Every structure is written in C-alpha cells, then in structure tokens.
C-alpha cells in the first residue's frame, strides 16, 4: 500500500532543510511540509520546558497538514522532546537525529575519538554522549557547544569566505582538532550549511557526520518498513513555512536546496 500524504519536517529555523534536501534526493516522490520556527530560534538557548512547549505547538501546526510521519530535523528538539512526541503521537513514525547520527559516527571512526559540536542545550542534555557510550563504550567523546553559530547562520553568514564565520569556527574547532578527533558529529542541522568551513578548519582527514542527512535516511527506512512510502511514479512537492524573516530565510533556503524556492515559501 502506498501513502501519498506528506512527511512533516520540523526545525527551529533554516537548518532542518539539510534534512529536506536528503529527503528530496532519496525520496523524490514524497510530498514534504517543512516548518522552521525562525521567529523563536535559536532553541539551543532555551530551557528544557520552553523547548518542549514550543515543539508541541510546532507539531500541532504540522499535523494540520495531514502528515503521515514526522522528521525532527533538529538535534535540540530531539534531545529534549523526542520521547514525549513519540508517546503523544503513536499513530505516526517520529524520527529524530541522535540515534541515526551516532550510528553513522560509530561506522566512520577509526581511532574511537569522536567530537560533537552542537547547541548549548544539546550539549547540556548529554544525549549524544549517552548514545555513543551505548554503541561504542570505549569511545573518547569530546563535546563543544557552539552558541554563536546558529545566529550567524540564520543571519546569512554562510559563505566559505566569510571572515567572521571562519573566526568563530576556529574558536570552537581548533581545540577539537588538537585532541585528534577523527570523526566530528555536526550535532546541529544548521552546521552542514557551513560544511566547507568546518572541513577546512578540521582538515580533510576528519569525517563529518551530517545529522540532518542521517535522520532523513532513517525516516525513509522507517516508512519503507511500515509500507508508508508514496507511489514511486509521482513527483513530490515541498512546501516550506517559516515564522519570521522570510527574505533572509529564502536566501539561505535557496542556497541549501540549490534552487529558487520563492513560490513554495510562506511566512505564517
Ligand atoms: N538546527 C537546530 C539543531 O539541530 C538548531 C537549534 C537552535 O535553534 O538553536 O539543534
């Protein structure tokens, strides 16, 4: 049985589109409804109660679009709200970033030294550390909160030649490079947008793990298992909603999705 209802995708801002671009590549027949809560971003500086409250409102909005499944393309929301969401919505698959991303990291590392960069809230939750220790008990895990990165990316500092971005990236990443991590989890879905800068600072030998991409793959696998994929013959449509700064959001979203999404983007 095919199910042509859309997949809902949630992030606090534009970063979750790094999950959408993988969904579009691997599941071109799927309709997607994305909501980026740019008005209330960053979520990474909020308390656990605030993150859960905002998330429940965001998901109620996505559910109005008759979604068949939910991709939490946000590590901060995954760290605090994935279990309450899975409990509240047993009728649909709800997939987050942390489990699929740690699986990819464990497959990638050779020396067992894994770095994590993420928002302050994600680092505080220790959700990644716990999941990595479960899968690879001997791993040496080093986490760094990068609170300046989401606001920089949301305000359009995404170019590989952006001096301010490069300076901030060095501030966070050089200590990780010096500790010899061979695998770095980009534990915030905004970070793959600045992948080139991160790779340049870390060096080509470091494997970068894209949490948006890993979670998108995992969601499609879950739809396959539950026979919830759309008909292969159709061409999916992506609708994108943000809650503030439409023009700025559009510029970054066009760069992430590599096309002009102007007609598909609405501010609510
Ligand atoms: N993309 C979100 C994440 O993966 C950013 C969170 C924020 O708004 O601080 O954590």
């Amino acid at each position: 049985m095919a199910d042509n209802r859309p997949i809902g995708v949630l992030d606090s801002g534009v970063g979750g589109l790094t999950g959408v671009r993988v969904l579009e590549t691997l599941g071109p027949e799927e309709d997607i409804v994305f909501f980026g809560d740019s008005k209330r971003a960053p979520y990474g500086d909020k308390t656990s109660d605030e993150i859960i409250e905002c998330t429940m409102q965001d998901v109620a909005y996505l559910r109005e679009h008759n979604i068949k499944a939910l991709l939490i393309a946000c590590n901060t929301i995954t760290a605090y709200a994935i279990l309450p969401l899975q409990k509240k919505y047993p009728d649909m698959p709800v997939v987050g970033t942390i489990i699929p991303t740690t699986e990819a990291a464990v497959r990638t590392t050779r020396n067992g030294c894994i770095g994590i960069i993420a928002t302050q809230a994600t680092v505080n939750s220790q959700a990644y550390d716990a999941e990595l220790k479960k899968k690879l008990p001997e791993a040496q895990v080093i986490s760094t909160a990068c609170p300046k990165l989401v606001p920089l990316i949301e305000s359009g500092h995404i170019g590989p030649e952006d001096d301010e971005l490069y300076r901030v990236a060095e501030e966070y990443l050089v200590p990780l490079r010096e500790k010899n991590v061979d695998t770095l989890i980009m534990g915030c879905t905004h970070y793959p947008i600045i992948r080139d800068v991160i790779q340049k600072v870390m060096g080509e030998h470091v494997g970068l793990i894209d949490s948006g991409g890993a979670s998108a793959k995992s969601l499609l696998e879950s739809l396959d298992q539950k026979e919830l994929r759309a008909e292969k013959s159709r061409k999916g449509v992506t609708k994108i909603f943000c809650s503030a700064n439409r023009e700025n959001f559009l510029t970054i979203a066009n760069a992430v999705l590599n096309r002009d999404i102007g007609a598909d983007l609405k501010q609510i």
Side-chain angles (χ1 to χ4, degrees), residues 172-211:
Y172 293 132
L173 297 176
V174 169
L176 285 168
R177 189 178 71 201
E178 287 172 352
K179 294 214 170 85
N180 213 15
V181 305
D182 77 345
T183 301
L184 180 67
I185 291 178
M186 295 187 283
C188 168
T189 52
H190 282 66
Y191 302 164
I193 300 174
I194 56 160
R195 183 185 188 111
D196 290 352
V197 171
I198 295 173
Q199 192 82 66
K200 194 164 165 196
V201 178
M202 292 305 292
E204 286 302 325
H205 63 288
V206 174
L208 301 183
I209 311 296
D210 168 354
S211 55

Side-chain angles (χ1 to χ4, degrees), residues 11-13 15-16 40-45 73-77 97 118-119 122 150 154 187-191 211:
D11 184 32
S12 59
R40 300 189 291 192
Y43 279 24
D45 299 341
C74 175
N75 293 270
T76 309
I77 295 177
T97 52
T119 66
T122 301
V150 167
E154 286 280 327
C188 168
T189 52
H190 282 66
Y191 302 164
S211 55

